[in-house]
Amino acid sequence: MGRETMRDVRENEKKYIINFNNTLVGTSPNGTPPHYGGGLGRGSILNMEEVKKYLEDAEEKMEFAAMHLEEALSRIRAGRANVHILDEVRVDSYGSMVPLSNVASLNTPDARSITIKPWEKSMLKVIEKAIIDSSVGIMPENNGELIRLGIPALTEERRKDLTKQCSKEAETAKVSVRNARRDAIEKLKKSIKTGTPEDMEKDYEDKVQKAHDKYIKKIDGMLEVKNKEIMTV
């Protein structure tokens, strides 16, 4: 075999080895297709990235659902001071509506109060009005230097109402996770018609299911922590 032929062989080896999901799949130097279970043709090699993307898209949607839940739960008042209850408050600063944290420092000096100290004193009245007009539900105290919010203690009935609200938010997140699983599996099943081997499709169905289970467990954990925070007197 000549030197040129050996170079061709090495190039073929590099060309047909594909790193996919940490698994090496390749062909022999003579171009024989690689195998995935019962066999993988060239069209199926192209499907590998496609089915991988179905899994990645599903995981991305599941992660977004968990992140959205985390934000929603952080805004639910649990009897202890938490600056996140002010996340949705917007104030007018030089003609633009901006988050409160853009114009003031927010602190929790103790478990029952939040202080808001604006960078500019002229913003005190603006911030005070924005809080009153918001859904925070706490009357601000303006002493001319900073604004204080006193966090009232929660009644037992109110605590139970808040846990129901948290459960509703968690269920919404779970629905999003389930929908992501359903959409991914439907696409995987349809990909069989375009050449994806059934054992590959089944493998990725299992991966989607494991991702689903992981995020459902994560959501349950987040809900448990928040409910414990709410019910702790």
Side-chain angles (χ1 to χ4, degrees):
M1 183 178 291
R3 184 178 303 174
E4 197 66 26
T5 305
M6 284 297 296
R7 186 183 299 118
D8 291 341
V9 169
R10 293 192 186 98
E11 289 303 314
N12 283 334
E13 287 175 341
K14 293 177 183 177
K15 181 178 180 181
Y16 292 110
I17 293 176
I18 302 171
N19 188 329
F20 176 71
N21 200 27
N22 298 322
T23 302
L24 287 177
V25 180
T27 65
S28 63
N30 65 7
T32 304
H35 294 279
Y36 194 110
L40 183 61
R42 293 186 186 278
S44 298
I45 296 176
L46 298 177
N47 284 3
M48 294 174 72
E49 287 298 333
E50 186 177 353
V51 297
K52 181 182 178 183
K53 189 175 188 303
Y54 295 155
L55 172 62
E56 292 174 343
D57 288 348
E59 289 181 323
E60 184 177 343
K61 291 175 182 176
M62 293 175 188
E63 177 63 23
F64 180 80
M67 289 173 59
H68 181 76
L69 174 63
E70 184 176 19
E71 292 176 5
L73 294 180
S74 71
R75 291 193 293 267
I76 295 177
R77 186 157 54 88
R80 293 181 62 85
N82 185 338
V83 296
H84 287 297
I85 67 172
L86 299 170
D87 282 353
E88 294 186 343
V89 176
R90 295 291 184 272
V91 295
D92 187 348
S93 176
Y94 298 101
S96 298
M97 300 304 292
V98 300
L100 188 52
S101 57
N102 282 24
V103 298
S105 63
L106 312 178
N107 294 289
T108 53
D110 55 64
R112 294 294 184 201
S113 62
I114 297 173
T115 57
I116 305 154
K117 187 174 180 60
W119 311 128
E120 300 175 15
K121 272 193 176 184
S122 60
M123 292 297 293
L124 276 169
K125 288 290 185 181
V126 177
I127 293 172
E128 181 180 15
K129 184 177 186 304
I131 294 173
I132 292 172
D133 293 342
S134 74
S135 60
V136 172
I138 302 174
M139 184 60 66
E141 303 170 18
N142 182 351
N143 66 8
E145 294 291 332
L146 53 78
I147 292 173
R148 179 182 177 278
L149 297 181
I151 310 299
L154 299 175
T155 64
E156 185 69 18
E157 182 179 358
R158 179 57 178 159
R159 291 178 191 276
K160 290 179 179 179
D161 287 342
L162 290 175
T163 59
K164 290 178 182 178
Q165 183 181 346
C166 291
S167 295
K168 185 177 179 181
E169 294 284 359
E171 184 56 32
T172 298
K174 285 183 178 182
V175 169
S176 295
V177 171
R178 294 183 192 119
N179 287 344
R181 175 189 59 179
R182 181 201 63 206
D183 293 346
I185 289 177
E186 285 180 356
K187 290 176 181 178
L188 286 168
K189 289 185 181 298
K190 288 179 181 178
S191 74
I192 294 176
K193 296 179 181 179
T194 59
T196 301
E198 290 188 12
D199 53 349
M200 182 194 294
E201 186 275 334
K202 178 60 178 173
D203 181 37
Y204 273 83
E205 266 198 49
D206 291 343
K207 292 177 187 292
V208 170
Q209 182 63 46
K210 287 178 181 178
H212 164 276
D213 296 346
K214 181 181 77 172
Y215 280 99
I216 292 296
K217 183 177 180 180
K218 182 176 183 178
I219 289 169
D220 284 337
M222 293 166 66
L223 177 61
E224 182 179 355
V225 169
K226 186 63 178 185
N227 281 342
K228 183 177 180 180
E229 179 186 349
I230 291 171
M231 297 307 295
T232 300
V233 180

